[in-house]
Amino acid sequence: MADKKFVFMQGDEACALGAIKAGCRFFAAYPITPASEIAETMARELPKYDGAFIQMEDEIASAAAIVGASVAGVKSMTATSGPGFSLMQEVIGFASMTEIPCVFVDVQRVGPSTGLPTKPSQGDVMQARWGTHGDHPIIVLYPSTVEEVYKHIITAFNLSEKFRTPVIFLMDELLGHMRESFYLPSDDELEIIPRMSDDISDEEIYHPFESEMEIPNPLRAMGRSKFHVSGLIHDETGFPVGTSNTASKLLKRLENKIKLHTDEISIYEEYFVDDMEILIVAYGSVARSALRALKIARSDGIKVGLFKPITIWPFPSNRLRKLMKNVDAVIVAEMNLGQIIKEVALLRHPGLKLEPLNRVDGELISPEEILEAVANLRLKLNEF
Amino acid sequence: MIGVIVLFEFEDLDNYYLVKIFGDFDVLNSGEIKNKILEKVSDVVSKDLVIDLTNVSYIDSSGLGVLIGLHKQCKLNGRRLKLFGLNKQLEELFSLTSLDKILNIYNTFEDAIKKEE
């Protein structure tokens, strides 16, 4: 550990500093609680790396600015919370259709509308998947510790570059505002996918939408490379083509570039799953409570396991389905009225008991509440 | 109910209160620990408060917030908050946040309770 830097960092700060480490050099945003500290850190730090920070007039403009910056050749990011995230949806769709890498951070607070600005929520999980219109691919990550924020915002940029897609990075107020200590990873522990250089000869013609294994060519900066970018259905050249065949081909390729690589994109953690009888599914800040509850239950000899997805979309269904085969009951704990549980329900086998544990009052689900849910579930199982 | 979550032990001794905290001291339990300690010592802290961190592996910002609050409470009443038993990572944390310059940190229990000249 001697060569590693020990830090005590806020979640929002870790998000900003991790993004800079990943190569982000353009950040545009409009201040909003609880994401403003990301903008503050970017405003302070980005100029040191020859990067640019712009406070835009609103969140729509912020989203559009980062898409433009990315097409111009710079890794880019914006950060907001629920109300701003709603405004950004149109641009997320555009980035998805035009396959422009960029990262959207949503530090969730209680909604809808302006809700509870200073309280955590996990109410935007489905919005992150389906907030924009039309069938579209998306990658969504959601860490649960400050250390994971730092690590996986880098993952977010890498996935965005590799799959040429917007990546949504979910956090919540608790994670954004808390401070935790950890050792920063050393450079040789980090893999960072660089943006392709713009070193192209005058004779070479760049086709930005030609693909291999459904993944388009890496994005080159607009400038020396000249190409057309349109939200309309387009062919490999980028120019609009309004035929049914082209539409079907493009939309299926967009879907498949993520779907066919789900296992590669999926990041999750498992705890005590080998002999478990009850499985807890929890993500983000709630996973912290679940892990604490799990350790207490295990010390009492109760065979509980935990599945913590960090990649929320595409949902890591393959692994979870396998784990669920071995248990009689699953508890899904989330700070919403039941969003991911609907995805888990699709994987259940006949006879499996599925229990929701929800809070929407801006308070974190506690380890005690999870233990109580486990105890109640055991009683129910014993009744049969 | 499953499991008994032992957050801390409290002893009311002749010259000081002794509190032993167990496990991680973080956002999941810091509020409860603070309330329970204040229930025991009341707002008018009449003796020094000695906190044993030997069994604490990790503290986050909410845990530090509780320690700072208790330090202030003791100071208001002319008493001292004394900490001992920090592991290496906690030592680094207190150094990084400069709290080692504000809080009274000792290597051992004996050092913490030793009468100062």
Side-chain angles (χ1 to χ4, degrees), chain A residues 183-336:
Chain A
Y183 289 95
L184 283 178
S186 58
D187 285 353
D188 55 7
E189 287 176 301
L190 296 174
E191 185 202 357
I192 292 168
I193 297 177
R195 178 60 63 90
M196 183 178 252
S197 118
D198 195 29
D199 188 16
I200 186 170
S201 69
D202 290 339
E203 295 77 36
E204 192 180 339
I205 297 171
Y206 170 58
H207 291 294
F209 300 100
E210 271 181 358
S211 63
E212 191 174 328
M213 292 286 288
E214 315 290 20
I215 302 171
N217 289 328
L219 189 65
R220 286 180 182 274
M222 184 82 79
R224 288 198 63 176
S225 309
K226 297 173 187 64
F227 53 94
H228 195 84
V229 177
S230 172
L232 291 167
I233 295 289
H234 47 268
D235 65 11
E236 288 80 359
T237 66
F239 283 94
V241 178
T243 66
S244 303
N245 186 41
T246 309
S248 172
K249 192 177 161 190
L250 174 60
L251 293 182
K252 284 178 182 168
R253 181 178 68 73
L254 291 180
E255 168 86 355
N256 284 334
K257 79 171 174 179
I258 303 300
K259 192 174 170 184
L260 298 178
H261 299 89
T262 295
D263 287 344
E264 181 186 343
I265 297 165
S266 292
I267 305 164
Y268 50 79
E269 289 179 2
E270 304 170 353
Y271 299 88
F272 301 103
V273 294
D274 290 344
D275 64 346
M276 64 180 173
E277 290 163 0
I278 293 174
L279 173 63
I280 301 168
V281 177
Y283 52 93
S285 290
V286 179
R288 305 170 71 98
S289 297
L291 189 54
R292 182 73 51 87
L294 182 72
K295 287 175 182 169
I296 295 164
R298 281 278 166 179
S299 69
D300 242 20
I302 296 165
K303 292 179 176 174
V304 187
L306 170 65
F307 182 72
K308 178 180 108 173
I310 293 171
T311 305
I312 303 293
W313 303 111
F315 194 66
S317 303
N318 289 343
R319 181 58 189 159
L320 184 56
R321 186 184 286 109
K322 277 182 193 160
L323 291 176
M324 283 168 62
K325 278 182 185 165
N326 303 323
V327 296
D328 301 321
V330 175
I331 296 170
V332 183
E334 44 188 344
M335 285 189 288
N336 53 47

Side-chain angles (χ1 to χ4, degrees), chain B residues 59-107:
Chain B
I59 302 181
D60 71 1
S61 47
S62 28
L64 288 182
V66 170
L67 293 177
I68 294 164
L70 291 172
H71 169 72
K72 280 185 179 172
Q73 196 73 26
C74 288
K75 214 173 166 185
L76 275 174
N77 293 286
R79 301 293 170 185
R80 303 179 77 190
L81 175 78
K82 298 176 171 186
L83 308 175
F84 73 93
L86 281 66
N87 67 26
K88 195 173 175 308
Q89 192 152 333
L90 292 186
E91 276 179 5
E92 282 192 72
L93 175 62
F94 281 85
S95 165
L96 189 70
T97 53
S98 297
L99 284 173
D100 56 347
K101 295 182 179 66
I102 296 166
L103 302 176
N104 306 297
I105 298 171
Y106 300 87
N107 288 330

Side-chain angles (χ1 to χ4, degrees), chain A residues 12 15-16 27 35-43 77 79 105 107 171:
Chain A
D12 280 351
C15 179
F27 180 87
S36 294
E37 290 87 347
I38 299 174
E40 287 171 18
T41 308
M42 281 302 208
M77 181 173 93
V105 179
V107 188
M171 294 168 63

